Amino acid sequence: MEKQVIIITGAARGIGREIVKELAKQGHIIICNYNKSQKQAGELKKELEKQGKNIEIFQADVSKQEQCKRLVQFTLEKYKRIDGLINNAGIDKIQQIEDVTKKDWEEIINTNLYGAFCMCQEVTPNMIHNKKGWIINISSIWGQVGAAMEVVYSISKAGMDGMTKALAKELGPSGIRINSISPGIIDTDMNSELTQNELKKIEEEILLGKIGKAEDISKCVKWLIEDKYTTGQIISINGGWVIT
Ligand code: NAP
């Protein structure tokens, strides 16, 4: 299989980390972005290099346009092309609408939506030039159906899915595929504040009877990269928790 140069944002922990491992296993060249998790990023690099895999780690806060630019410039200077981008970095805050401050709004929207937009803006000129490439946006089921107490997060992920559809239309003729993977609930730090009781209740609502694992998402990413005829789609991976 052809080795691809792939940027994954927010990938030292959680779902992103699992995607890095899966794609490195396939022999791809991985640019693993992290923001605060420098130690985990360093450990991941060490672990994968020991196995002979190709991985770079690069610190950047994707909520800042200039830092997205640096991440892409680093990749292009070193590898001369970008085959794929996975917008995975994301944050959430559980709060009622009346408690949402301008700062909360800016942090969530700038990280989840503006950051993903900036990354797309930075990588697409190279992809258009090469007449090939793909982007996967890790959105959320809440972008499709909305979550109480997570209005800003839901807005950010709905925006991301809108971006997926718009860019698929704009860039399909240039040979670029863009899709969203929309997870339900996945066992990562993001859900660490849920109590055992809350998790049990959610499991009872899921048709397949269990919380998802990061590898449920990384397996879908692997399939989507190999596939050549899917674009503009929102692919829900949620154990049948929500059927849209
Ligand atoms: P997580 O374990 O909390 O990890 C979040 C990741 O995002 C971290 O690696 C973090 O990097 C990165 N990040 C946050 N702000 C960033 C910034 N400004 N710049 C760069 N990276 C940043 O969460 P996760 O569950 O793996 O989430 C990954 C994605 O899946 C998110 O987009 C999330 O919305 C989505 N998702 C998750 C679930 C779920 O149930 N877990 C469900 C639906 C969708 P640092 O630690 O380096 O700062």
Side-chain angles (χ1 to χ4, degrees):
M1 198 209 307
E2 184 204 2
K3 256 189 197 180
Q4 300 197 39
V5 179
I6 300 171
I7 300 177
I8 309 173
T9 66
R13 299 190 285 121
I15 293 172
R17 186 182 182 94
E18 201 53 44
I19 297 173
V20 168
K21 286 186 178 179
E22 178 65 49
L23 300 187
K25 199 163 77 185
Q26 306 305 314
H28 298 304
I29 298 163
I30 308 298
I31 320 302
C32 166
N33 156 250
Y34 65 94
N35 184 26
K36 297 181 184 152
S37 297
Q38 183 178 16
K39 186 165 171 274
Q40 287 98 322
E43 286 165 359
L44 182 59
K45 181 173 162 68
K46 228 187 235 171
E47 178 188 327
L48 290 175
E49 282 182 342
K50 230 187 242 171
Q51 299 165 22
K53 311 297 181 202
N54 294 298
I55 173 169
E56 306 277 354
I57 55 173
F58 193 92
Q59 195 281 331
D61 174 349
V62 298
S63 69
K64 312 267 184 334
Q65 187 192 22
E66 278 316 302
Q67 300 196 25
C68 293
K69 224 182 238 304
R70 274 202 302 116
L71 170 58
V72 171
Q73 267 168 4
F74 164 80
T75 308
L76 285 175
E77 274 164 25
K78 186 134 192 200
Y79 295 102
K80 313 294 173 216
R81 66 176 206 279
I82 295 166
D83 299 301
L85 163 69
I86 302 175
N87 282 312
N88 168 77
I91 54 171
D92 190 12
K93 193 164 179 184
I94 297 177
Q95 55 190 163
Q96 290 184 322
I97 186 165
E98 58 263 38
D99 297 328
V100 175
T101 63
K102 183 88 190 298
K103 185 168 174 278
D104 294 327
W105 169 271
E106 284 174 356
E107 275 175 8
I108 299 169
I109 296 293
N110 287 353
T111 304
N112 299 4
L113 186 56
Y114 182 62
F117 169 78
C118 289
M119 286 302 298
C120 290
Q121 212 174 24
E122 293 301 325
V123 300
T124 46
N126 181 259
M127 290 180 178
I128 292 169
H129 178 263
N130 297 335
K131 296 210 171 332
K132 62 175 185 159
W134 53 264
I135 297 171
I136 297 174
N137 293 318
I138 307 295
S139 61
S140 162
I141 194 63
W142 300 144
Q144 288 163 272
V145 300
M149 311 277 293
E150 295 177 68
V151 62
V152 186
Y153 182 78
S154 300
I155 291 168
S156 73
K157 296 300 187 175
M160 198 178 214
D161 287 344
M163 179 169 75
T164 291
K165 293 176 191 174
L167 287 182
K169 288 184 179 175
E170 186 170 327
L171 300 173
S174 300
I176 301 166
R177 292 175 296 115
I178 298 156
N179 294 284
S180 285
I181 293 178
S182 170
I185 182 162
I186 305 293
D187 182 15
T188 67
D189 293 346
M190 191 167 265
N191 296 306
S192 59
E193 280 171 26
L194 293 174
T195 64
Q196 282 308 312
N197 217 10
E198 285 167 331
L199 287 170
K200 195 165 163 280
K201 270 198 189 146
I202 294 171
E203 274 186 337
E204 283 166 8
E205 291 170 8
I206 297 174
L207 297 182
L208 298 182
K210 57 186 178 191
I211 304 289
K213 291 189 182 336
E215 67 191 46
D216 294 317
I217 306 303
S218 65
K219 294 273 184 266
C220 182
V221 168
K222 174 177 176 280
W223 166 76
L224 206 40
I225 292 175
E226 287 166 9
D227 178 83
K228 295 286 174 267
Y229 201 57
T230 302
T231 196
Q233 303 305 310
I234 315 300
I235 301 166
S236 296
I237 309 281
N238 63 39
W241 191 23
V242 179
I243 299 179
T244 51

